[in-house]
Amino acid sequence: MAIYELLNLGFQFLDSFAFIVLATAGLAIIFGMMGIINLAHGEFILVGAYATTLSFHAGLPLPLAMVAGVVATTIFGIVLERTIIHRLYGRLLDSMVVTFGISLVVIQLTRIVFGNSLEQIGTPFGGISYGPYSYSTYRSVVLATCAIATLVGLYVLFTRTDFGVRARATIQDEETARSMGVDTDRMYLSTFAIGSALAGLTGALYAPTITMSPELGTGFLVEAFVAVVVGGPSVILGTPLAGGLLGLVDAVFTNLGGQFIGTVFLLLTAIVAIRVLPDGITGLLEDLREKWRRAE
C-alpha cells in the first residue's frame, strides 16, 4: 500500500474514532452508571447542534456558540431528569419507552419551530492535502484531539476526584452510600447532567460538519449503541477500546467499499460481539482480571 493510501487510512481512522467516542460517551455514562437506556440520546445531540448553530448565526464566535450549545443541552437534560427521568431509575424497559417518546416529541417540535433545515456553519481549518488526496483538518485532527481530551477528562473525574468516588458508590450500592452521608439524589442528577453535557458537546463539535435537520440525531444513535454493545457499559474502559476497534473496522472497510460498506461491517462487528462477548470488552477484561486473582 502506497504512503498516500496509508495516510488516507490513518485520517479515516482518526475521523471514525472521534465520531464513535464522542457519540458514545454521554450514552455510556447514563446507561453504564444509571441503568437508563436513553433512546433520546440522538435528540440531546440535536439540541447541542441546533443551539450552537443558532448562537453562531446570532453573532457569537464559533467557540462561544459551542459553549452555548453545551450549556443549553445540560439545562435540557437537568429539566428532563427532574420532571421525568428520575421516576425511571431501576425500570429499564420503561426508560426505553419513555425516552423513545421524548425522542419523537423533540424531533417534531424541532420541525414545527425551525422547519426542515437550518443554514449550516462552514467547517473551519480547511483540509490537509497529500498526493492525490485531501482530508478535513477539523474532522481528522481537531475532533480526534477533542475525543481523547474528553476520555482523559472523564477518567480523571471518575477515578481521581471525590465526586467520582461518591458517584461510583451510589451506582454500586445506593442504600449503603446514602447511609454514609452521600446525597444519592444529587449524584444521579449530576451524573445525568454530565451525560447530557457530553451529548451537547458532541452536537456542538459536529455542528459545522453536518446538515442541520430534525433527524440528525439518528446518525449518531446507531454508532453509539454499537459502541456500547461492543465496549460494555464502562465509559472509562469500554468506550476507548470500542472506539479503537470500531474506528479501525470502519476506516478499513470504508476505504475499501465506501461509507455503506463501512456501516455494514460495523453492524456485523456488533452482532459478533453480542454472540461472543455478551458483556462487551469490559466484561471480558473483568473475567480475565478475576482469573488472574484466583491464580495468584
Side-chain angles (χ1 to χ4, degrees):
M1 184 180 290
I3 184 66
Y4 296 133
E5 279 74 19
L6 279 175
L7 281 173
N8 208 40
L9 182 62
F11 286 127
Q12 178 68 50
F13 169 74
L14 290 174
D15 187 357
S16 300
F17 174 79
F19 185 87
I20 292 168
V21 167
L22 290 170
T24 306
L27 181 70
I29 283 181
I30 292 175
F31 171 60
M33 303 192 71
M34 307 179 68
I36 296 290
I37 297 180
N38 183 16
L39 293 181
H41 179 69
E43 282 57 59
F44 281 62
I45 294 174
L46 166 72
V47 172
Y50 263 62
T52 299
T53 302
L54 292 169
S55 300
F56 178 79
H57 290 316
L60 283 182
L62 183 56
L64 290 181
M66 290 179 171
V67 172
V70 174
V71 171
T73 313
T74 306
I75 295 172
F76 175 70
I78 290 173
V79 171
L80 274 184
E81 201 280 343
R82 287 293 83 184
T83 54
I84 300 174
I85 302 296
H86 77 279
R87 307 172 195 274
L88 304 173
Y89 295 142
R91 299 164 59 187
L92 193 64
L93 293 179
D94 291 347
S95 72
M96 293 175 65
V97 174
V98 172
T99 55
F100 179 66
I102 292 171
S103 165
L104 295 178
V105 170
V106 172
I107 290 173
Q108 292 307 319
L109 280 177
T110 303
R111 180 173 286 110
I112 291 169
V113 175
F114 300 107
N116 288 324
S117 64
L118 282 182
E119 182 183 354
Q120 192 173 342
I121 303 171
T123 305
F125 300 118
I128 303 170
S129 298
Y130 44 100
Y133 302 104
S134 67
Y135 212 98
S136 166
T137 306
Y138 183 77
R139 291 190 66 103
S140 60
V141 178
V142 176
L143 292 182
T145 303
C146 291
I148 293 170
T150 299
L151 290 172
V152 172
L154 289 174
Y155 176 80
V156 172
L157 177 64
F158 285 107
T159 63
R160 295 288 186 269
T161 66
D162 182 63
F163 169 81
V165 173
R166 290 170 179 267
R168 285 185 287 122
T170 301
I171 301 307
Q172 291 173 3
D173 192 332
E174 183 180 354
E175 292 298 324
T176 302
R178 188 182 294 120
S179 68
M180 298 293 288
V182 177
D183 187 342
T184 55
D185 189 51
R186 185 176 179 182
M187 285 295 108
Y188 279 124
L189 174 61
S190 301
T191 306
F192 195 85
I194 291 171
S196 303
L198 288 171
L201 175 66
T202 303
L205 289 172
Y206 278 92
T209 71
I210 53 179
T211 302
M212 288 292 116
S213 72
E215 294 85 9
L216 71 85
T218 307
F220 292 86
L221 194 61
V222 173
E223 277 81 355
F225 271 101
V226 168
V228 169
V229 167
V230 173
S234 170
V235 69
I236 303 300
L237 193 59
T239 300
L241 292 176
L245 173 63
L246 296 173
L248 184 61
V249 170
D250 186 49
V252 169
F253 288 101
T254 298
N255 264 279
L256 290 175
Q259 187 65 48
F260 175 74
I261 297 299
T263 304
V264 167
F265 274 87
L266 275 184
L267 296 177
L268 288 175
T269 304
I271 293 171
V272 172
I274 292 172
R275 180 69 178 173
V276 179
L277 304 172
D279 295 322
I281 297 174
T282 306
L284 174 64
L285 295 178
E286 288 295 330
D287 289 343
L288 291 175
R289 184 185 301 173
E290 187 62 29
K291 288 180 181 177
W292 287 336
R293 284 177 182 168
R294 291 176 181 174
E296 291 174 356

